[in-house]
Amino acid sequence: MQLKREGEGQGSIRQALALAACSLLGGGASAQAADTPWEIDSAVLLYSEADGRVSAIEPVATARKEIREDEFVQLKVVVDALTGASPNGATPSDEVQTFTRPSGTGVYTADPGETPLDDTFRDTRGAVSLSWDRPLGRLQRRTLGVGISREFDYTSLSANGQLSRDINHRNTTLSAGASLAADFIHPVGDIPTPYAVMVPPDQPQPRDTDIDDKLTLDLLFGVTQVLGHDTIGQLNYSFSLASGYLNDPFKILSVVDGVSGKTRDYLYEKRPDSRQKHSLYGELKHFLGGDVVTAAYRFYSDDWGVISHTVDLRYRWNLNRENYLQPRLRWYSQTAADFYHHSLIAGEPLPEYASADPRLAEYDATTIGLKYGHRIDAGSEWSLRVELYRQDGVDHPDDAVGLQRNLDLFPETKAIIIQAGYRFRW
Amino acid sequence: MRRWTALGLMLIVVSGCSSLGVKPWQRGVLARPDMALAAESLDAAYDDHIYFSKEASSGGRGFAGGGCGCN
């Protein structure tokens, strides 16, 4: 594709970037590579939870370019800035609760009846990934990618590859991919000893080590199928195996009196050191009188005992050639992990593993949203998406004891998601 | 056992697919950008990141991933 010549300065930056991309991939940059435009897709996401909990702002940009015929490179840059408070796993109580900060210096508190929130949640993440997608003959493609993500207390390195092949007169595409990630966690105040009792600040803290790691292997097998002149479908099976440090170093459990429900102690959580996940994902896209209907379903199961169902429906209402509105409804339901406990009972033997992380509890979640998009020309569009997300769990579980029966034991999450996007050619 | 069931299911789908499809000249609608399965890839990436941080499940559409300390 030819692009009309633009300003000399901008053109030379583009050419330099194209040359750099080609040199990186070990090939010579052709005149064509320098002339094809970069496709830039950018957006900013604002995520904000109610009641002063987590807020995030996340700008993202991807730059994609055809460097040879039907061969593409893509660079993606993400910045993620988080602030706010997050449930620490302890249950509410009828008195003020005081917790030692993860750093081991200072405390934070929760008022009577209030879900305990760790307000030291503050982080900035930067991530860069690069992928290279090229044809292998007429019917096959290969994609290779690498990525790095860095936070103040967390580093992740990953590499992935995917092969796909068209069959059945290009009506069916089979794909298989693998990804390997190595993550390193080095929290402020080091890594707490599982099941150790939280001690007051400025005393020797129960810590194992300053850094730990986990390895994650993902496999993905997929089929994409043209089902008719106006319908296309996709079915994926994915498998993930993570091993290593899978605890959340900031999560604790309350140990409560078996009769009164009053809190006696706080223990650092303990999860298994491996996790196997299986997912089956299906998606259908259908063109309906000028509009596009998308329906997706995922079945998920893992060896921690979590089973979930996700349904995601979108209707892209093309108002005219330039404008569309897209309502969306997502429904999610999960069972609790086998070792999820909202709290532990004092005097009873400790289970092999235990976590009170509300994300491992049983709950349902819904997202409703609306997106508006405006097409400027063939290569550019801006859009705005607004969504509301809400989790509903079991506030009064059957095994609540004493004062717990009068308190909400599931910290409901309500959030608003706003995303502004702009896509253009450069 | 579960993974063999999934594999078997995929084989059935693939073999069933051989009788499905359209001719190249019937692909006008399928070639529309809004009919691409990856039409909203940034939205999908944001969603994967949000729900990975807030829910116990991940993966399916793409790699289950991670790459952040958010879960």
Side-chain angles (χ1 to χ4, degrees):
Chain A
M1 187 181 294
Q2 294 291 315
L3 182 75
K4 65 177 181 181
R5 287 199 74 78
E6 293 172 27
E8 196 65 35
Q10 197 186 63
S12 41
I13 294 170
R14 283 209 329 268
Q15 286 191 0
L17 274 169
L19 282 164
C22 292
S23 320
L24 259 176
L25 300 172
S30 63
Q32 181 213 354
D35 281 348
T36 55
W38 286 88
E39 292 165 20
I40 313 288
D41 201 354
S42 63
V44 178
L45 177 91
L46 296 169
Y47 172 91
S48 180
E49 291 178 0
D51 307 322
R53 283 164 61 178
V54 177
S55 281
I57 177 165
E58 187 173 339
V60 171
T62 63
R64 183 170 183 262
K65 183 180 177 67
E66 186 174 19
I67 53 165
R68 293 186 200 91
E69 191 179 358
D70 207 22
E71 181 174 344
F72 299 88
V73 286
Q74 178 173 290
L75 177 71
K76 183 176 185 183
V77 180
V78 181
V79 178
D80 194 2
L82 291 160
T83 54
S86 185
N88 68 2
T91 53
S93 184
D94 64 345
E95 48 199 8
V96 174
Q97 301 191 77
T98 305
F99 304 94
T100 305
R101 293 193 185 282
S103 62
T105 55
V107 295
Y108 60 96
T109 59
D111 287 336
E114 199 179 64
T115 298
L117 301 173
D118 179 354
D119 61 1
T120 40
F121 194 48
R122 191 179 303 273
D123 212 342
T124 302
R125 182 174 73 102
V128 178
S129 58
L130 185 68
S131 71
W132 172 31
D133 173 20
R134 61 168 299 195
L136 292 178
R138 203 171 61 84
L139 297 171
Q140 294 186 120
R141 300 194 71 80
R142 181 193 71 191
T143 306
L144 297 174
V146 288
I148 179 167
S149 171
R150 184 91 168 86
E151 285 161 69
F152 183 62
D153 58 0
Y154 201 92
T155 306
S156 175
L157 305 169
S158 65
N160 61 74
Q162 191 153 357
L163 279 173
S164 64
R165 182 179 174 83
D166 294 334
I167 58 170
N168 183 23
H169 307 288
R170 288 186 185 267
N171 283 300
T172 308
T173 304
L174 304 177
S175 59
S179 162
L180 191 64
D183 292 11
F184 304 91
I185 180 160
H186 34 92
V188 175
D190 300 338
I191 290 177
T193 306
Y195 279 163
V197 176
M198 178 180 270
V199 299
D202 304 319
Q203 289 185 17
Q205 298 293 311
R207 299 292 188 260
D208 264 354
T209 173
D210 59 345
I211 185 166
D212 215 329
D213 55 67
K214 74 170 177 187
L215 271 178
T216 309
L217 170 71
D218 285 316
L219 301 174
L220 182 69
F221 303 94
V223 185
T224 303
Q225 175 64 43
V226 172
L227 296 163
H229 73 281
D230 54 7
T231 309
I232 186 163
Q234 180 183 24
L235 187 67
N236 286 347
Y237 164 72
S238 72
F239 168 78
S240 175
L241 173 63
S243 67
Y245 184 78
L246 303 183
N247 291 333
D248 184 328
F250 310 118
K251 294 282 187 276
I252 56 174
L253 292 120
S254 299
V255 180
V256 302
D257 184 273
V259 179
S260 68
K262 279 192 179 295
T263 302
R264 296 264 190 86
D265 270 322
Y266 307 108
L267 303 185
Y268 292 99
E269 68 159 33
K270 184 182 181 190
R271 305 184 189 194
D273 59 6
S274 79
R275 187 178 190 182
Q276 282 187 32
K277 305 175 177 180
H278 302 272
S279 302
L280 201 57
Y281 173 84
E283 181 177 332
L284 272 179
K285 247 183 156 138
H286 179 64
F287 190 72
L288 187 71
D291 301 334
V292 179
V293 187
T294 307
Y297 168 76
R298 176 184 66 181
F299 173 78
Y300 168 94
S301 160
D302 67 29
D303 64 353
W304 284 7
V306 177
I307 292 175
S308 75
H309 303 273
T310 313
V311 177
D312 201 347
L313 304 171
R314 272 169 248 236
Y315 188 91
R316 179 172 161 136
W317 178 21
N318 287 318
L319 302 168
N320 49 43
R321 233 174 97 79
E322 282 81 32
N323 300 290
Y324 68 87
L325 274 176
Q326 182 171 267
R328 186 242 184 131
L329 175 66
R330 179 183 185 270
W331 175 82
Y332 172 80
S333 178
Q334 74 172 45
T335 62
D338 297 333
F339 54 87
Y340 171 79
H341 300 272
H342 54 75
S343 52
L344 298 173
I345 303 293
E348 289 188 356
L350 287 173
E352 188 178 7
Y353 304 108
S355 172
D357 187 341
R359 294 172 296 188
L360 295 174
E362 173 189 356
Y363 66 85
D364 295 344
T366 48
T367 308
I368 54 166
L370 187 65
K371 182 178 179 181
Y372 169 68
H374 175 74
R375 178 178 175 273
I376 301 159
D377 56 44
S380 53
E381 176 185 303
W382 66 263
S383 61
L384 183 69
R385 167 163 84 128
V386 179
E387 294 184 339
L388 298 171
Y389 176 67
R390 181 189 172 121
Q391 290 179 351
D392 282 302
V394 185
D395 288 334
H396 302 287
D398 294 340
D399 58 351
V401 291
L403 62 90
Q404 288 185 329
R405 294 201 190 99
N406 302 318
L407 297 166
D408 284 351
L409 297 189
F410 182 83
E412 184 179 84
T413 299
K414 284 187 277 188
I416 182 164
I417 297 161
I418 301 172
Q419 178 191 326
Y422 181 48
R423 191 157 50 79
F424 60 101
R425 285 183 181 159
W426 183 55
Chain B
M1 183 61 207
R2 223 176 253 153
R3 79 187 65 168
W4 290 114
T5 312
L7 198 64
L9 202 65
M10 288 190 75
L11 282 173
I12 292 167
V13 171
V14 172
S15 54
C17 288
S18 60
S19 60
L20 290 168
V22 296
K23 301 292 179 197
W25 57 89
Q26 296 174 307
R27 288 174 180 261
V29 165
L30 297 170
R32 291 171 58 102
D34 55 6
M35 280 296 286
L37 286 166
E40 296 169 298
S41 56
L42 276 196
D43 295 27
Y46 274 133
D47 282 355
D48 287 347
H49 184 57
I50 291 169
Y51 299 125
F52 172 77
S53 311
K54 295 290 151 193
E55 298 174 348
S57 317
S58 61
R61 177 164 42 200
F63 295 121
C68 74
C70 45
N71 198 344

